[in-house]
């Protein structure tokens, strides 16, 4: 086999087998504060460990001088919980290189629909709702709400929103809409990058009656038909404006990159900086802001 992904060129990031490591031999990179110990996330991890054990092993790397000592790269809350429980050993993944700065960067919270699918899969495999509630440290009503998350939601919307973190109440609002309007609403949320309950309610409020699900139509309290029509027109105008902005975004962004690059090159010349400092200090200050924003980006 040839090409860029041959055995000789691929680098394995972990030792090929997990290792049972003494908890006392693991050195954390940071301390877990009392504030973190009181957080919801900490409580959920502790409940999960108590109910089903460690699912995702901590990641450690061997100490360069003492091969029996380990530096903790990922899993600080888990290790702290294990220590508080008096555990003596834990199964770990052994990282070949110390890449602690990359692990947290690659962690992302589970999307709402992915969590829904995980719960359905666990129930199909025989896990009870009560056990899931204990493992996730939530009440059973929360588990049932997540189980029924996509009831009344069309498949196209579930596909559109599958990778986003969305409040569950948003799906309650979407259920007021017929499938075609649900898709429009989901696309609007993605375009605007707004997945809040308030925005979902505004989309429902601006929806014509004939696009609401039969039996779910409700009165808009305090809103006349004229106000509703105005809101619909404003929503349509906003959609058009967003699409126009999207159409020109690529060219505008390219122009911005070229301009900031040119300004940065100008400031790389000592003669140019000296001239600007002597005769155009205000322009120099603005140029420096542009160059700094380019470095931060």
């Amino acid at each position: 086999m040839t090409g860029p992904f041959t055995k000789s060129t691929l680098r394995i990031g972990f030792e090929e087998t997990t290792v049972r490591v003494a908890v006392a031999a693991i050195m954390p990179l940071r301390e877990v504060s009392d504030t973190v110990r009181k957080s919801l996330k900490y409580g959920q991890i502790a409940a999960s460990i108590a109910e089903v054990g460690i699912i995702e092993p901590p990641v450690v790397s061997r100490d360069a001088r003492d091969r029996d000592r380990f530096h903790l790269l990922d899993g600080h809350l888990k290790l702290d919980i294990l220590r508080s429980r008096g555990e003596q050993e834990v199964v770990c993944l052994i990282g070949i290189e110390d890449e602690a700065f990359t692990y947290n960067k690659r962690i992302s919270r589970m999307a709402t629909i992915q969590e829904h699918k995980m719960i359905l899969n666990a129930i199909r495999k025989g896990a009870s709702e009560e056990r899931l509630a204990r493992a996730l440290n939530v009440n059973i009503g929360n588990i049932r709400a997540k189980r029924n998350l996509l009831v009344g939601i069309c498949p196209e919307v579930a596909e559109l929103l599958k990778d986003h973190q969305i409040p569950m109440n948003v799906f309650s609002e979407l259920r007021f809409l017929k499938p075609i309007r649900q898709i429009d609403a989901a696309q609007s949320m993605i375009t605007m990058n707004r997945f809040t309950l308030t925005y979902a309610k505004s989309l429902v409020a601006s929806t014509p009656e004939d696009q609401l699900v039969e039996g779910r139509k409700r009165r808009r309290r305090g809103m006349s038909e004229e106000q509703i029509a105005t809101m619909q027109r404003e929503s349509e105008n906003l959609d058009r404006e967003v699409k126009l902005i999207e159409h020109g975004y690529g060219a505008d962004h390219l122009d911005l990159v070229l301009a900031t690059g040119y300004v940065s090159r100008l400031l790389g010349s000592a003669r140019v900086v000296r001239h600007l400092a002597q005769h155009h200090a205000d322009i120099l200050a603005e140029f420096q802001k542009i160059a700094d924003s380019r470095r931060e980006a």
Side-chain angles (χ1 to χ4, degrees):
M1 180 178 176
T2 60
F5 298 109
T6 61
K7 186 175 180 180
S8 60
T9 58
L10 277 175
R11 298 180 64 186
I12 300 174
F14 303 94
E15 293 184 7
E16 294 185 7
T17 59
T18 55
V19 176
R20 187 169 291 277
V21 177
V23 171
I26 301 175
M27 296 176 286
L29 296 181
R30 63 178 186 275
E31 293 296 324
V32 177
S33 67
D34 290 336
T35 301
V36 171
R37 292 189 180 102
K38 296 174 183 176
S39 67
L40 175 62
K41 180 180 178 182
Y42 188 94
Q44 288 177 331
I45 294 173
S48 177
I49 290 173
E51 188 65 28
V52 296
I54 294 287
I55 297 173
E56 185 178 342
V59 180
V60 299
S61 66
R62 295 184 186 274
D63 186 78
R65 295 186 177 86
D66 184 353
R67 300 287 288 175
D68 293 326
R69 300 283 291 174
F70 300 86
H71 298 276
L72 182 61
L73 303 180
D74 182 56
H76 284 74
L77 301 190
K78 294 173 190 172
L79 183 68
D80 189 75
I81 292 165
L82 291 174
R83 283 179 170 167
S84 68
R85 288 168 54 88
E87 301 288 346
Q88 299 300 311
E89 292 182 324
V90 59
V91 173
C92 295
L93 280 172
I94 310 297
I96 293 175
E97 295 184 4
D98 184 355
E99 295 183 337
F101 68 94
T102 65
Y103 285 102
N104 286 336
K105 186 177 180 180
R106 291 176 179 147
I107 291 172
S108 59
R109 292 177 59 194
M110 183 178 291
T112 308
I113 290 177
Q114 291 173 354
E115 187 177 9
H116 155 78
K117 291 180 178 179
M118 179 196 74
I119 288 172
L120 285 185
N121 190 43
I123 291 173
R124 278 195 294 266
K125 290 181 177 179
S128 67
E129 293 175 350
E130 292 80 4
R131 188 179 184 193
L132 287 171
R134 289 195 302 270
L136 297 175
N137 197 34
V138 296
N139 63 55
I140 194 167
N142 185 277
I143 293 296
R144 289 171 179 163
K146 290 180 178 179
R147 180 196 64 193
N148 299 323
L149 185 75
L150 298 182
V151 173
I153 303 298
C154 71
E156 292 82 359
V157 169
E159 181 65 23
L160 285 169
L161 300 180
K162 67 180 182 180
D163 296 323
H164 299 280
Q165 295 168 23
I166 303 167
M168 288 195 297
N169 290 344
V170 167
F171 292 93
S172 298
E173 292 297 317
L174 292 177
R175 292 189 187 99
F176 284 96
L177 310 175
K178 290 183 177 179
I180 294 299
R181 179 56 178 160
Q182 280 187 16
I183 294 170
D184 288 341
Q187 289 174 335
S188 294
M189 287 190 286
I190 292 169
T191 299
M192 300 298 291
N193 194 29
R194 292 184 65 187
F195 303 96
T196 63
L197 177 60
T198 301
Y199 187 57
K201 284 184 174 182
S202 72
L203 291 172
V204 173
S206 64
T207 299
E209 288 285 332
D210 62 355
Q211 294 183 37
L212 294 175
V213 174
E214 199 63 38
R216 283 188 174 267
K217 295 179 181 179
R218 56 182 180 178
R219 294 177 60 191
R220 282 92 161 190
R221 294 179 182 175
M223 294 180 66
S224 66
E225 291 298 323
E226 184 178 350
Q227 288 173 321
I228 293 170
T230 300
M231 182 180 289
Q232 290 169 358
R233 288 195 298 271
E234 290 177 352
S235 178
E236 290 168 359
N237 290 336
L238 179 60
D239 287 342
R240 282 194 291 270
E241 291 174 7
V242 168
K243 287 175 182 176
L244 286 173
I245 293 170
E246 282 183 323
H247 183 71
Y249 175 78
D252 292 342
H253 184 68
L254 177 60
D255 290 342
L256 179 62
V257 169
L258 293 174
T260 54
Y262 179 69
V263 169
S264 296
R265 286 196 298 275
L266 282 178
L267 296 183
S269 168
R271 291 178 60 191
V272 170
V273 172
R274 189 163 50 248
H275 175 79
L276 290 174
Q278 291 174 355
H279 304 286
H280 305 285
D282 54 340
I283 295 177
L284 176 61
E286 293 303 317
F287 278 4
Q288 287 173 333
K289 289 179 183 178
I290 293 172
D292 290 342
S293 66
R294 181 171 184 263
R295 283 194 291 270
E296 290 171 0

